[in-house]
Amino acid sequence: MATVSSVSICSNALLTLGAHPINDFNENTEHARLCANKYPTLRDDLLRKHPWNCAVKRVVLAPSTTAPAFGWAYSFTLPGDVLRILSVGMDNQPAPDYQLEGRSILANTSVLPLRYIWRNEDEASWDSAMIRLMEMIVAAELAYAVTASATLQANLKNEAEFMFRQAKAQDGQENPAQELGGYPSFESRFY
């Protein structure tokens, strides 16, 4: 079985468009340049859109040596691979007060648990539905540049939206159901 990579995803997208595949982003071809230019942004956008199981990471941040000028006791520098913050604080405990400013989180606690979506550039670790979705997203993005067909581009975008809903549902079903709780109006009826 071939190894999944950013190049193989782009090659499959090009094949979907009836174009020749690429072997490397550094090839001296228009398709390779298009893929090299578009792929990182499309990948990061897809990763940000849903807490994919393959892209969730947990860390405990230590404060930086420089405290904020005012308002907060500590500043925590975000890891370089953060695409989206999912939660701050420990699971099943109230989240601490915090403020996001630039690439830092300000808080009044000396350690900061963080759960976030990271820039997972190892496509081989992605779920197969997510890989197929990414191929369709790339094909839709490149469709007009490669084929000059706005109709094909629109059809591929619609297909990508449908595949996104399916992949998101499949990914979410792999986790146990979460109890939301905290329904005061419902609970007041029984107490």
Side-chain angles (χ1 to χ4, degrees):
M1 181 175 162
T3 303
V4 177
S5 68
S6 55
V7 172
S8 69
I9 287 172
C10 288
S11 288
N12 288 339
L14 289 166
L15 288 169
T16 298
L17 298 173
H20 293 288
I22 60 171
N23 294 313
D24 193 292
F25 285 147
N26 295 320
E27 287 178 10
N28 190 21
T29 66
E30 185 64 26
H31 293 158
R33 284 188 290 277
L34 273 169
C35 290
N37 186 32
K38 294 285 191 175
Y39 184 81
T41 304
L42 295 172
R43 178 204 55 225
D44 290 357
D45 182 58
L46 176 61
L47 289 169
R48 276 184 56 84
K49 284 183 176 178
H50 175 73
W52 306 102
N53 293 321
C54 67
V56 175
K57 192 184 275 189
R58 292 172 187 255
V59 295
V60 177
L61 301 176
S64 67
T65 56
T66 307
F70 61 90
W72 301 95
Y74 300 98
S75 175
F76 302 86
T77 303
L78 289 172
D81 61 357
V82 169
L83 291 177
R84 180 175 146 205
I85 294 172
L86 296 174
S87 64
V88 175
M90 298 296 287
D91 292 343
N92 302 320
Q93 292 182 8
D97 288 335
Y98 69 93
Q99 177 69 42
L100 181 64
E101 289 185 1
R103 298 292 298 166
S104 297
I105 296 178
L106 309 179
N108 291 325
T109 181
S110 61
V111 294
L112 197 65
L114 179 68
R115 187 171 166 263
Y116 67 96
I117 295 175
W118 66 288
R119 183 178 295 108
N120 183 350
E121 296 174 350
D122 179 13
E123 289 85 356
S125 70
W126 294 7
D127 180 80
S128 61
M130 189 176 164
I131 292 167
R132 184 68 186 114
L133 169 61
M134 191 68 210
E135 291 172 357
M136 189 59 63
I137 289 170
V138 173
E141 184 69 20
L142 301 180
Y144 191 78
V146 172
T147 67
S149 172
T151 302
L152 177 61
Q153 183 178 41
N155 289 341
L156 291 172
K157 284 185 178 185
N158 288 337
E159 180 69 19
E161 289 174 15
F162 177 74
M163 290 175 74
F164 175 71
R165 289 190 300 273
Q166 284 184 318
K168 190 170 92 166
Q170 291 169 0
D171 187 72
Q173 290 171 1
E174 292 179 341
N175 291 319
Q178 296 179 358
E179 185 176 319
L180 297 177
Y183 299 101
S185 59
F186 177 76
E187 292 167 355
S188 66
R189 296 178 187 172
F190 300 103
Y191 300 106

